[in-house]
Amino acid sequence: MLRKNVVAIVPARKNSIRIPGKNYKNFNGKPIIVSTIEKLKKSKIFDRIIVSTDSKKIASISKRCGAEIPFWRPKYLSNDYASGGSVMSHSLRFLIKEGYQFDYACFVFAPNPFLQIS
């Protein structure tokens, strides 16, 4: 059986109204997005882990722990009214335009401290 190509899309914008800076706030001694990316890597499910962000700080943190930031999230998808579906669609369209072929895509929220690898 051929191995499937699976990509993870992690949405992480800089502005949050309820919890400012939530994607890079420390949780158990590290930025919360780091915990999520580390778990995605440790799962060995994903061929690529892409972070969709409009923040240089989130991009820097994400890159240091092995995620990719191949594009910047546009302003119209970086507000409280942008849907997860729109963000996912934008990310996947970018990857397709880049010529990247994948079989499955998974949308994983950055502030996800209870994510289980199993």
Side-chain angles (χ1 to χ4, degrees):
M1 184 165 116
L2 292 174
R3 178 165 166 15
K4 300 293 185 185
N5 194 338
V6 184
V7 62
I9 307 294
V10 181
R13 67 185 178 98
K14 66 182 166 188
N15 292 326
S16 172
I17 297 207
R18 289 174 291 174
I19 306 171
K22 72 178 173 189
N23 291 313
Y24 53 80
K25 281 204 178 289
N26 278 342
F27 184 83
N28 283 338
K30 58 180 122 179
I32 201 160
I33 194 168
V34 171
S35 296
T36 300
I37 292 168
E38 287 175 346
K39 287 175 186 174
L40 294 176
K41 285 173 60 179
K42 191 173 180 182
S43 76
K44 298 187 190 303
I45 295 170
F46 303 100
D47 298 286
R48 290 178 79 178
I49 300 168
I50 308 285
V51 175
S52 171
T53 190
D54 59 338
S55 164
K56 289 180 184 177
K57 183 173 186 170
I58 292 170
S60 176
I61 291 167
S62 300
K63 283 180 186 178
R64 279 197 309 264
C65 63
E68 299 176 50
I69 318 318
F71 56 85
W72 291 102
R73 188 192 301 192
K75 194 170 235 166
Y76 74 92
L77 291 176
S78 298
N79 60 47
D80 290 338
Y81 305 105
S83 71
S86 300
V87 173
M88 181 72 156
S89 179
H90 171 265
S91 302
L92 297 179
R93 278 195 315 270
F94 175 88
L95 293 173
I96 291 166
K97 194 173 182 181
E98 176 185 75
Y100 183 68
Q101 295 182 349
F102 53 89
D103 297 295
Y104 299 102
C106 185
F107 201 59
V108 183
F109 291 100
N112 200 343
F114 305 111
L115 180 66
Q116 298 293 314
I117 293 172
S118 59

